[in-house]
Amino acid sequence: MKMNLKIWRQKNANDKGHFFNYQAENVSEDMSFLEMLDVVNQDLVKQGEEAIEFDHDCREGICGACSMVINGNAHGPERSTTTCQLHMRSFKDGDTITIEPFRAKAFPVIKDLKVDRTGLEKVIEAGGYISVNTGNAPDAHSIIIPKEDADLAFVAAACIGCGACVAACQNSSAMLFTSAKISHMAHLPQGQAERQRRVLSMVQKMDELGFGNCTNTGACEMACPKDISLENIALMNRDFMKASLKHR
Amino acid sequence: MQILNSSIGRKYLMGLAGAGWTLFVAGHMAGNLFIFAGPEAFNRYGHAIVSNKPLLFGTEIFLVTCLLIHVGLGLRLTLENKKAKPAKYAKKAVNAKKPSFASQTMAYHGTIILFFIIYHLITFKWGPHYDVTYGTETMRDLHRLVVEVFSEPAYVAGYVFCLVLLGIHLSHGASSVFQTIGCNHPRYTPVIKKLGWIYALVVVVGFISQPIYVFFNLRG
Ligand code: SF4
Ligand code: FES
């Protein structure tokens, strides 16, 4: 297949940035999207040009490093798929593909398609610690967790922190990400001791960092490669309200 | 206060204020249907409402408060959100990742609806005051005003247009408030969403039926 690429290039956070056109020849439909870009980059380097920078690490959909907006969709056209797990068979020969970095004030562009997502880590950091007993590891069955709760916690914990939710949201809201973290702990007994404190400080941090306000468009849920559901946001809203009313 | 200082707290307030209006419009719409029962029933209904001062003032204060909260917080939210997304994408999200039109454009129809409400009050509430007497009782002849206003094709068109926007606004808002206050459940949410749509549809059709009926049947 042959692809026409329109790729955003930007030298650094202060540069204005522009789209540049590239061609990718001999693209196999079995290639992943990142492999296709690798080939483009190799050609660029051969011609003495600078490679297009993009984030990636595991390339198996578990680290959350890859991040780009492909034809207007964060992580490309397929649902429940990270960019690294997207394959060229999702496109047709001769397609023009527009590739842009995640855009949000809280995610400044570092270079080309790479953005700084430290903000998400700061939100996690604001969550603080959980209290656990020291001493020997407890017996595996000493804390009883109903299967349903364990499942819900696990589903929330699947969030890989990629930031696609922020990128896809027209308000750059980080609610889906933050709620995944909140919900993960809220469903487990270990998360109860600091439950209220955690939601208050994580939401406060999220607001502080310049992520926008949620307007329930649901774009985040659709873009999320890990199918984190809006249900988590509802839980966070509930927990936050309870905590702010009770807190002294 | 923590609640007002947080995006989630403000969202709660904004949603609940919107819910206040959501409930009100259904009541207002139902009252409008008295138009089908003839001039006397229509005028008597209007008269009963304005004669009940506690109900009238209570509702007015409630609605103005809700409107101020909803619009004030909405304005703030829109400005903050524009700042949070300084650059737009060259392409819009498509297919499986495209959010609903209504949810993405709330600020726009919201603004138009605000102006519509003001204009609507000027036309009817503060509009010309005709009198009519039934037996010994003299009351405002709202029916005459309604017929006058809705004999104007441009007014009917504008009214229908704004009401459709209200429907779009409600199609998102009526169910979205449940998500905001924390009700989201895989069993109930799909039903709530459908009911939200139906609610919006019923309200809009109910409201629009009045000018259409007047224009085609009662126009002088
Ligand atoms: S919620 Fe989904 S889209 Fe958002 S950071 Fe987590 S995995 Fe990525
Ligand atoms: S590179 Fe790790 S999730 Fe895509």
Side-chain angles (χ1 to χ4, degrees), chain A residues 94-111:
Chain A
D95 273 1
T96 299
I97 309 178
T98 307
I99 311 172
E100 302 171 75
F102 280 4
R103 295 194 191 278
K105 178 158 156 277
F107 287 172
V109 173
I110 300 171
K111 194 169 181 198

Side-chain angles (χ1 to χ4, degrees), chain B residues 44-60:
Chain B
R44 280 193 185 278
Y45 166 73
H47 186 65
I49 285 188
V50 291
S51 313
N52 189 341
K53 295 289 178 220
L55 175 81
L56 183 70
F57 290 138
T59 312
E60 280 180 350

Side-chain angles (χ1 to χ4, degrees), chain A residues 19 69 71-79 81 96 98 100-106 166-172 175 200 203 206-207 210-219 222-223 230-231 233-234 236-238 240-241 244-245 247, chain B residues 1-3 5-13 16 76-100 103-106 172 175-186 189 193:
Chain A
F19 279 109
V69 169
N71 285 341
N73 287 338
H75 287 307
E78 310 288 347
R79 287 205 48 170
T81 308
T96 299
T98 307
E100 302 171 75
F102 280 4
R103 295 194 191 278
K105 178 158 156 277
V166 177
C169 175
Q170 63 177 3
N171 316 317
S172 306
M175 293 279 277
L200 290 176
V203 169
M206 175 186 88
D207 287 346
F211 292 107
N213 306 285
C214 174
T215 56
N216 297 340
T217 67
M222 300 174 198
L230 292 183
E231 221 183 308
I233 297 186
M236 177 166 76
N237 291 349
R238 230 159 46 218
F240 177 83
M241 250 356 220
S244 14
L245 291 173
H247 135 105
Chain B
M1 239 173 63
Q2 185 121 24
I3 293 180
N5 282 333
S6 72
S7 60
I8 297 182
R10 290 192 297 265
K11 189 170 150 64
Y12 253 83
L13 283 177
L16 291 176
R76 168 165 180 184
L77 169 127
T78 308
L79 293 177
E80 280 178 356
N81 287 349
K82 286 247 171 322
K83 245 205 271 162
K85 196 88 175 176
K88 291 254 176 294
Y89 293 111
K91 293 201 127 191
K92 281 206 153 55
V94 288
N95 301 337
K97 295 189 178 179
K98 187 178 155 40
S100 76
S103 72
Q104 288 179 293
T105 48
M106 292 300 273
H172 174 70
S175 56
S176 164
V177 65
F178 287 89
Q179 162 75 10
T180 299
I181 62 170
C183 304
N184 184 325
H185 189 280
T189 299
K193 279 199 181 154

Side-chain angles (χ1 to χ4, degrees), chain A:
Chain A
M1 297 197 294
K2 201 175 127 182
M3 302 276 126
N4 303 307
L5 307 174
K6 244 180 96 180
I7 303 180
W8 185 263
R9 310 267 342 231
Q10 182 173 344
K11 290 203 178 65
N12 52 50
N14 300 321
D15 182 30
K16 263 195 85 193
H18 291 285
F19 279 109
F20 284 81
N21 293 320
Y22 301 93
Q23 300 250 311
E25 319 261 347
N26 298 325
V27 175
S28 142
E29 58 180 21
D30 296 329
M31 275 180 174
S32 80
F33 199 80
L34 297 186
E35 278 166 344
M36 184 272 298
L37 286 179
D38 288 339
V39 173
V40 173
N41 268 343
Q42 201 164 25
D43 286 348
L44 284 177
V45 171
K46 268 192 210 149
Q47 292 161 22
E49 282 180 52
E50 242 183 288
I52 301 155
E53 296 220 10
F54 57 86
D55 268 325
H56 62 102
D57 187 17
C58 70
R59 296 210 175 192
E60 52 187 28
I62 55 172
C63 75
C66 56
S67 55
M68 50 186 87
V69 169
I70 302 163
N71 285 341
N73 287 338
H75 287 307
E78 310 288 347
R79 287 205 48 170
S80 327
T81 308
T82 53
T83 301
C84 60
Q85 293 279 288
L86 176 67
H87 288 83
M88 294 313 291
R89 65 182 81 98
S90 296
F91 300 89
K92 286 198 303 294
D93 187 24
D95 273 1
T96 299
I97 309 178
T98 307
I99 311 172
E100 302 171 75
F102 280 4
R103 295 194 191 278
K105 178 158 156 277
F107 287 172
V109 173
I110 300 171
K111 194 169 181 198
D112 298 337
L113 303 171
K114 251 186 179 159
V115 298
D116 183 354
R117 286 167 284 176
T118 321
L120 298 184
E121 260 130 72
K122 291 197 182 138
V123 172
I124 294 195
E125 240 174 67
Y129 54 82
I130 59 160
S131 302
V132 288
N133 289 327
T134 53
N136 288 339
D139 182 74
H141 293 302
S142 63
I143 304 177
I144 293 170
I145 307 177
K147 171 82 164 65
E148 293 77 8
D149 290 352
D151 284 351
L152 286 172
F154 191 79
V155 167
C159 163
I160 52 178
C162 64
C165 42
V166 177
C169 175
Q170 63 177 3
N171 316 317
S172 306
S173 164
M175 293 279 277
L176 194 66
F177 164 81
T178 310
S179 72
K181 305 303 164 201
I182 294 284
S183 167
H184 169 191
M185 297 310 300
H187 283 113
L188 296 173
Q190 292 91 335
Q192 300 313 311
E194 289 81 18
R195 184 167 179 171
Q196 298 199 358
R197 200 190 301 170
R198 182 166 49 245
V199 68
L200 290 176
S201 71
M202 285 179 85
V203 169
Q204 189 189 359
K205 184 51 96 189
M206 175 186 88
D207 287 346
E208 232 173 73
L209 291 169
F211 292 107
N213 306 285
C214 174
T215 56
N216 297 340
T217 67
C220 52
E221 186 184 52
M222 300 174 198
C224 177
K226 295 295 150 187
D227 291 328
I228 302 296
S229 142
L230 292 183
E231 221 183 308
N232 296 296
I233 297 186
L235 179 141
M236 177 166 76
N237 291 349
R238 230 159 46 218
D239 265 21
F240 177 83
M241 250 356 220
K242 252 188 248 163
S244 14
L245 291 173
K246 279 194 191 164
H247 135 105
R248 302 166 186 253

